[in-house]
Amino acid sequence: MAGLFIIHLTAKSREIAEMQISKTVHSNETEMVAGSVTQAVTAGQLSTILTAEELAGTTSLTLTGTIDARDFKTMRDLMPLLAKIDLSGAKIVEYSGTEGTSIYGKENYQAYTVPENAFSASGGKASLRFIKLPDHTIEIGKEAFLSCNGLNNILLPTSLVTLGERAFGWCSGLNEISFPASIKNIGRYALSTTNISTIYIPENVEFIGQGVLYQCRNLSEITVSPNNQHYCSIDGVLFNKNHTELIQYPNGKTNTNYFLPVGVQKIQAMSFDGGNSYLRNLTISEGVIEIGFWAFANLWNLETIDIPSSIIVISEGAFIGQHNYLQSITIRKNKPVTISSDVFGDVNKSTCVLYVPFGTKTDYQNANVWKDFQSIVEMEPKEELTYVPDNNFEQALIDLGYDSGELDNFVPTAKISTLISLDVSGKGIEDLTGIEDFASLQTLNCSGNHLSTLILNKNLNLYGLDCGNNRISNLDVSTCTHLTNLQGYNNLISSLDLSNCVNLITIDVQTNQLTNIDISNNQKLVWLNLGNNPLTKLDITKNNELEALFCSNFQFTSIDLSQNINLISLGLYSGSLTALDVSKNQNLKVLWCHNNSLEHIDASKNTALTTLSCQNNQLTYLNVQNGNNSNMVADETGLNASGNPELYCIQVDNPLLAATYTNWTKDAHASYSSNCSPMPVVNYPSDADIVLNNGQTFNITWSDFSGTRVKIELMKKNRVAATIVASTPNDGSHPYTIPASLQSGDDYRIMITSLEDRTVYDISDNFFAVQTLANPMVLVPSEPDIIWNNSKTYNILWSEYSGSKVRIELLKGNLVRSTIAASTANDGTHPWTIAKNLESGTDYKIRITSVENNSVTDISDHDFTIQPNTDKPGKKSAGIEFNTLSNHGESLLVFPNPFTHKVNFEIILKKSAPVVLEIFTVTGLKLSTLFDGFVDAGVTTRFEYQPEKIQAQILLYRLRIGDESETGKLIYKP
């Protein structure tokens, strides 16, 4: 017999019984064959559910239910043989405490997150080979799988958003990983020192930390979704989206030569570090200004390095490492960059030649660290070049004869530094880098390109600039003190500093995004075009030389033109103007103010006027009687006043001649006159559909009546029905109380007449209605047999009152005992706390009267009783119940209770909710469903219940609001 096999089966409330198989062999040793466990758990209980044998011997574990950081710690520390884990059916819940996985003292662990140090403490979990995470995991925490060298298979959930720093760092067995589309954040060193060969960055990734792929020596290619808005890949190398920063060069990339793409400005820390054995020659492109910490460390077989003149910062350890074959370093910077001693650490400075610009050898021999190179050689003199990274810009310079040969991103500086004028308009240029070396430039035309930024702070001689029709959002001319002409139209400029451009004469920045522009220092300005900008204000009071101003689509409502007496052309159109004063602008020839909200234009002082465009406003007054209307007949648009529905009269020099001017346009209802005094108007009541009540007081208002006093009459069916006032001051307002006896009707109007000139009068444009209100009612207390107690608070209720305020009085024996509220809101309810010392009595009533109309009043239908406070009331109830519901109801009123005919319910909710109100007998028989529906928040909702004659004296009501229920008792006394 080869050996004895013993099979142990253990079944414990789990989906699959544990099976442990041991085999007794001839050597008397025991060989353990892998066992698996499938277990439903509750968070934090894994260590107590599994037996000691199971903890020690399980190699494959499947968990369902809930788990937290304590269970991860159990798997990490108490299950030494665990190789395969399936958590796809489990849910990670939050945990706060000291028994979690963190080795950094963390005590709060989030739900749906693999906790930090989940499988790494003192070294990674060596036994782990495969893990499938919970389906709804959104984050893998810091160092969750750090140094799990045996891990070679990981399925990331489709819900994952964040991969924490060093999450899979130093997992040397991991050779493949696929990010889900949901991933957004990848932390520092998250995949460093793994065996991944290629990696794909999905489109939603927003953040990639430093050294994510540090020392991944098999990595040959990094690709990025073309739809990603933050990163891109060029020839398998990872960059930020506009490739100004190189983030990661794959350590396994087989290129022997690498020339950084033009446009790179920064090389991120450790981006090349990792022992790439293929790279021989490295050229850092012109334009790079910073090399990060350990950026090119440990490139063992590197032979040549070329560093550009643009470099400013070379960080610590940038070229540290065993550069065994490094033969030369070329630095093109004229002035040595200050560097630390370890920048070229381990480079053999006795054999590596340092090439420096012509004439700078002494400087390098005297500079710290650089002087350590034993062989410093000056390069041959080279023509000074200007870096021009935009191919279209360089080609334009070639076409103009300022450069030659193939595109190489450089032009001879000597050929451009003395240029006075440059026109590169319409060339498809996106980047004008290099323009700073055009030191003598006086005029520049770069219009019609694709520029987003234009920095001209080195072009100090510039006096003329046309950069219109681009996409410029950043325009810097702050040092161009000689600038006289600025053309920046059709761009995306939102702010512009012109404070030093004191010689500006013309500015055209129409169609931009300017909300404000300060031109107070530009006092030589003659011509200014700000059309199609969302300006919120404009101050031109310091621009006294201004002759032409154009603005449109602005947001300011007024502008001060009093200091601009030289204005000839003024365009303020399609804006928000409500007022415009041009009385000081007597040189004005052209005025465009159409498409605003102007009500009044007086151009009587503008004798030079040839064009006035004021259509589509809200004009009620227009005066162009300037004594020189004949000047306005030559231009195509002499006068356009159409689109002003309230403009009936236009004051002109000669009405008969004005009617013959073919270039004058107005609305058909408007007429020309030599005297357009404002028309008298009854303002209120004048609109349609006005309804007023008998006894109601309101203000009659009017405007533009001549004289000091007016007469006001009430008209019915176009006849005078009554004189409201025979004579009152012409101050525009008169209070009127509609008599209670006035006949109801919908054919009333008001007529107002000037007492000094009876021809000056007006009648309401529309009829208004007078109606009698429904009877006002005091609702509570009004039922018979009500008893209220001293020192307690009760709600007085009423309805059908006119006006906004009411007065509430307490009557005793039909005489006023006291005033409860002299004026309170007419909202139908008022709380009243009965004074402790108010005398007892059975003959009290409440009287409520409209404050605005004393004829609108009512008194309780029945006397009620006031008696001393008692906690044991007799047979008679207080008549009203008040409850507060904890979640939904601000208040519930039930009144009167007991009731004889009907009982009322009033509900006010704090938030909208479904409501059900039902009536039952005490035995549970449902008598009625008063309401079953949805009630809006803040709305007073009333219901009433009027039962049929029944024998039951006690009923129950049940009110359900959402999930909350309120039950109360009703006493029915038929």
Side-chain angles (χ1 to χ4, degrees):
M1 187 173 180
L4 176 65
F5 286 83
I6 302 173
I7 300 177
H8 300 279
L9 293 178
T10 306
K12 298 180 180 180
S13 66
R14 40 174 76 103
E15 298 172 16
I16 302 176
E18 177 192 31
M19 176 180 289
Q20 188 182 89
I21 304 175
S22 63
K23 173 185 176 185
T24 302
V25 294
H26 290 293
S27 62
N28 293 324
E29 296 179 345
T30 300
E31 177 182 327
M32 188 70 67
V33 181
S36 64
V37 170
T38 297
Q39 178 68 52
V41 295
T42 301
Q45 301 299 311
L46 182 61
S47 64
T48 60
I49 292 176
L50 298 182
T51 67
E53 292 82 1
E54 292 167 339
L55 289 170
T58 299
T59 59
S60 177
L61 179 65
T62 300
L63 295 181
T64 60
T66 58
I67 57 176
D68 64 22
R70 293 170 293 181
D71 302 306
F72 280 95
K73 187 174 183 181
T74 296
M75 290 184 276
R76 182 190 72 192
D77 297 346
L78 301 181
M79 305 182 75
L81 301 182
L82 193 56
K84 180 179 180 181
I85 304 174
D86 185 350
L87 303 177
S88 59
K91 175 183 177 183
I92 305 173
V93 297
E94 64 180 9
Y95 166 67
S96 295
T98 60
E99 298 178 3
T101 55
S102 176
I103 63 174
Y104 301 105
K106 179 175 181 177
E107 295 184 2
N108 296 312
Y109 299 85
Q110 301 298 316
Y112 306 108
T113 300
V114 177
E116 68 177 44
N117 305 119
F119 294 98
S120 65
S122 54
K125 189 171 184 64
S127 63
L128 188 61
R129 298 292 184 270
F130 168 83
I131 187 168
K132 188 173 183 182
L133 297 175
D135 290 341
H136 300 293
T137 302
I138 61 174
E139 181 175 352
I140 298 176
K142 173 182 177 182
E143 300 180 3
F145 297 92
L146 179 66
S147 297
C148 290
N149 293 325
L151 183 65
N152 54 37
N153 201 342
I154 175 72
L155 297 178
L156 298 180
T158 58
S159 54
L160 189 66
V161 174
T162 298
L163 185 62
E165 60 182 69
R166 295 189 291 277
F168 293 100
W170 288 266
C171 290
S172 57
L174 190 62
N175 54 33
E176 183 178 357
I177 195 166
S178 178
F179 288 126
S182 58
I183 192 78
K184 289 186 177 181
N185 306 298
I186 305 173
R188 297 188 310 154
Y189 305 104
L191 298 170
S192 61
T193 321
T194 60
N195 271 322
I196 296 170
S197 58
T198 62
I199 195 162
Y200 176 76
I201 307 298
E203 69 173 278
N204 293 319
V205 172
E206 299 173 355
F207 171 77
I208 298 176
Q210 176 180 297
V212 165
L213 297 164
Y214 171 67
Q215 290 194 349
C216 293
R217 293 178 181 171
N218 287 332
L219 183 67
S220 61
E221 184 176 26
I222 304 169
T223 56
V224 180
S225 167
N227 297 323
N228 190 289
Q229 299 300 307
H230 303 277
Y231 299 97
C232 70
S233 173
I234 301 176
D235 193 25
V237 181
L238 181 62
F239 295 85
N240 64 347
K241 188 62 176 179
N242 58 3
H243 58 82
T244 59
E245 183 173 347
L246 189 151
I247 298 171
Q248 185 69 59
Y249 183 90
N251 280 174
K253 193 174 177 64
T254 59
N255 295 50
T256 56
N257 303 310
Y258 189 63
F259 188 106
L260 269 71
V262 173
V264 177
Q265 298 175 9
K266 179 180 179 180
I267 302 168
Q268 194 180 89
M270 296 181 287
S271 52
F272 285 75
D273 181 18
N276 184 294
S277 60
Y278 300 98
L279 201 58
R280 298 288 188 274
N281 304 299
L282 173 66
T283 302
I284 303 173
S285 59
E286 195 66 42
V288 172
I289 61 176
E290 180 179 351
I291 299 173
F293 172 79
W294 278 41
F296 299 102
N298 301 313
L299 296 178
W300 296 323
N301 294 317
L302 201 60
E303 296 176 0
T304 67
I305 301 171
D306 195 328
I307 303 173
S309 63
S310 57
I311 196 70
I312 296 175
V313 176
I314 304 177
S315 301
E316 295 180 7
F319 298 95
I320 199 170
Q322 300 298 323
H323 297 292
N324 301 322
Y325 301 100
L326 193 62
Q327 300 170 13
S328 67
I329 298 173
T330 300
I331 176 73
R332 301 183 183 277
K333 186 81 170 178
N334 287 331
K335 183 178 179 180
V337 178
T338 301
I339 58 177
S340 63
S341 60
D342 65 350
V343 163
F344 297 104
D346 301 319
V347 172
N348 189 336
K349 300 178 182 63
S350 63
T351 60
C352 181
V353 178
L354 178 65
Y355 290 98
V356 299
F358 183 77
T360 65
K361 179 177 179 178
T362 301
D363 293 334
Y364 277 89
Q365 287 176 329
N366 293 327
N368 287 337
V369 185
W370 298 103
K371 66 183 180 181
D372 296 338
F373 287 89
Q374 295 181 17
S375 178
I376 301 177
V377 178
E378 288 186 349
M379 293 179 281
E380 290 297 321
K382 186 177 180 181
E383 181 181 35
E384 186 176 354
L385 299 175
T386 293
Y387 176 53
V388 179
D390 189 290
N391 288 341
N392 288 330
F393 185 22
E394 185 182 2
Q395 186 60 55
L397 295 176
I398 291 173
D399 295 342
L400 291 170
Y402 306 132
D403 192 14
S404 60
E406 300 295 326
L407 294 172
D408 60 0
N409 299 122
F410 292 94
V411 299
T413 305
K415 289 191 175 182
I416 61 172
S417 59
T418 58
L419 276 181
I420 294 176
S421 180
L422 177 65
D423 186 345
V424 287
S425 57
K427 302 298 184 180
I429 300 169
E430 296 183 4
D431 185 354
L432 216 60
T433 295
I435 196 67
E436 61 274 9
D437 283 351
F438 289 69
S440 302
L441 202 61
Q442 296 180 10
T443 62
L444 170 63
N445 185 350
C446 56
S447 62
N449 284 293
H450 306 301
L451 298 172
S452 59
T453 297
L454 183 57
I455 309 298
L456 299 172
N457 53 20
K458 298 293 180 63
N459 305 96
L460 304 182
N461 294 309
L462 198 66
Y463 69 79
L465 170 64
D466 186 348
C467 59
N469 289 324
N470 277 282
R471 297 191 291 252
I472 298 172
S473 59
N474 182 18
L475 174 61
D476 186 354
V477 292
S478 58
T479 60
C480 300
T481 57
H482 296 293
L483 196 64
T484 60
N485 179 19
L486 171 60
Q487 304 289 315
Y489 49 89
N490 296 340
N491 279 293
L492 302 172
I493 302 168
S494 59
S495 64
L496 187 59
D497 181 5
L498 300 176
S499 57
N500 294 322
C501 304
V502 295
N503 291 301
L504 272 171
I505 296 174
T506 63
I507 299 175
D508 184 354
V509 286
Q510 63 177 306
T511 313
N512 275 282
Q513 298 178 1
L514 293 167
T515 58
N516 186 27
I517 185 169
D518 184 355
I519 52 174
S520 57
N521 286 353
N522 312 115
Q523 298 181 16
K524 296 181 181 180
L525 201 60
V526 173
W527 197 87
L528 176 61
N529 191 344
L530 297 170
N532 199 23
N533 278 282
L535 292 167
T536 57
K537 62 179 180 179
L538 179 61
D539 185 355
I540 57 172
T541 55
K542 301 291 181 63
N543 307 102
N544 300 338
E545 301 298 319
L546 199 62
E547 295 181 2
L549 168 65
F550 303 98
C551 288
S552 61
N553 296 311
F554 51 87
Q555 298 177 19
F556 55 85
T557 58
S558 62
I559 185 171
D560 184 354
L561 303 173
S562 61
Q563 304 303 311
N564 309 105
I565 60 175
N566 292 310
L567 268 178
I568 296 174
S569 298
L570 176 61
L572 297 169
Y573 50 92
S574 300
S576 302
L577 282 181
T578 58
L580 181 63
D581 183 358
V582 292
S583 59
K584 303 292 185 182
N585 313 109
Q586 297 183 18
N587 293 313
L588 200 61
K589 291 184 178 181
V590 176
L591 174 57
W592 297 337
C593 56
H594 47 276
N595 299 331
N596 280 286
S597 299
L598 295 169
E599 297 180 1
H600 183 104
I601 295 178
D602 186 349
S604 59
K605 301 291 180 63
N606 308 107
T607 56
L609 203 62
T610 62
T611 298
L612 173 56
S613 175
C614 57
Q615 69 269 27
N616 300 326
N617 275 280
Q618 299 173 16
L619 291 176
T620 60
Y621 178 80
L622 176 59
N623 186 350
V624 291
Q625 192 179 57
N626 61 5
N628 208 6
N629 285 173
S630 58
N631 279 350
M632 301 176 66
V633 297
D635 289 354
E636 182 178 350
T637 301
L639 171 67
N640 189 343
S642 61
N644 289 284
E646 299 299 320
L647 182 63
Y648 293 94
C649 183
I650 303 173
Q651 191 160 326
V652 298
D653 292 348
N654 188 322
L656 295 178
L657 284 176
T660 66
Y661 296 156
T662 57
N663 63 339
W664 283 32
T665 305
K666 63 177 181 60
D667 294 317
H669 64 264
S671 60
Y672 299 120
S673 174
S674 58
N675 183 14
C676 288
S677 298
M679 297 180 65
V681 177
V682 175
N683 295 319
Y684 187 86
S686 192
D687 293 336
D689 301 324
I690 293 177
V691 179
L692 304 171
N693 302 313
N694 292 97
Q696 180 177 349
T697 299
F698 67 94
N699 279 340
I700 299 170
T701 61
W702 65 92
S703 61
D704 295 326
F705 276 76
S706 60
T708 60
R709 303 189 71 81
V710 296
K711 177 181 180 181
I712 305 176
E713 296 169 293
L714 177 68
M715 300 184 68
K716 182 174 174 59
K717 294 183 179 177
N718 298 318
R719 295 185 178 184
V720 175
T723 297
I724 294 173
V725 59
S727 177
T728 187
N730 182 21
D731 56 7
S733 180
H734 180 78
Y736 173 46
T737 300
I738 300 176
S741 59
L742 187 65
Q743 177 186 353
S744 297
D746 58 2
D747 53 356
Y748 287 100
R749 290 199 289 181
I750 297 294
M751 181 168 69
I752 302 178
T753 306
S754 170
L755 290 180
E756 284 86 350
D757 185 354
R758 301 284 177 166
T759 64
V760 178
Y761 71 94
D762 190 39
I763 302 173
S764 307
D765 292 340
N766 295 284
F767 290 108
F768 64 90
V770 174
Q771 67 178 15
T772 301
L773 282 174
N775 290 331
M777 292 185 291
V778 176
L779 299 177
V780 176
S782 198
E783 296 288 335
D785 301 327
I786 289 178
I787 299 174
W788 285 357
N789 299 320
N790 297 96
S791 301
K792 286 195 172 183
T793 300
Y794 303 89
N795 273 359
I796 298 170
L797 307 175
W798 67 92
S799 66
E800 305 297 339
Y801 275 76
S802 61
S804 61
K805 301 283 186 181
V806 297
R807 180 174 65 256
I808 304 175
E809 298 167 300
L810 176 65
L811 307 183
K812 189 175 190 318
N814 294 322
L815 297 175
V816 175
R817 170 62 178 79
S818 62
T819 298
I820 296 173
S823 178
T824 187
N826 182 19
D827 56 6
T829 179
H830 181 79
W832 176 41
T833 301
I834 301 175
K836 181 179 180 180
N837 59 356
L838 183 62
E839 66 266 28
S840 299
T842 61
D843 56 347
Y844 283 100
K845 290 185 179 180
I846 295 294
R847 180 167 69 190
I848 302 177
T849 305
S850 169
V851 171
E852 289 91 340
N853 186 355
N854 289 336
S855 65
V856 180
T857 186
D858 188 40
I859 301 175
S860 307
D861 292 341
H862 298 279
D863 290 339
F864 66 95
T865 297
I866 294 178
Q867 66 180 22
N869 187 13
T870 174
D871 293 331
K872 298 179 179 180
K875 294 182 180 180
K876 297 179 179 179
S877 168
I880 184 165
E881 293 180 16
F882 178 92
N883 295 299
T884 299
L885 304 180
S886 60
N887 293 328
H888 298 286
E890 179 177 304
S891 67
L892 164 64
L893 295 177
V894 183
F895 60 91
N897 190 19
F899 69 100
T900 57
H901 302 293
K902 64 180 179 180
V903 61
N904 299 285
F905 298 82
E906 177 179 298
I907 307 168
I908 302 177
L909 299 186
K910 287 183 179 176
K911 59 182 181 181
S912 303
V915 171
V916 179
L917 179 59
E918 300 166 305
I919 308 295
F920 297 83
T921 67
V922 292
T923 62
L925 175 65
K926 185 163 73 173
L927 300 176
S928 175
T929 299
L930 297 184
F931 183 80
D932 186 358
F934 199 83
V935 172
D936 291 331
V939 177
T940 300
T941 307
R942 292 187 175 95
F943 314 100
E944 68 177 31
Y945 176 58
Q946 185 170 352
E948 299 176 357
K949 292 292 182 179
I950 58 176
Q951 296 300 317
Q953 298 297 305
I954 298 177
L955 304 175
L956 299 176
Y957 67 87
R958 182 171 68 190
L959 174 66
R960 284 184 293 156
I961 304 177
D963 297 327
E964 188 174 71
S965 179
E966 176 77 13
T967 301
K969 182 167 63 176
L970 302 173
I971 301 175
Y972 176 51
K973 289 185 176 182

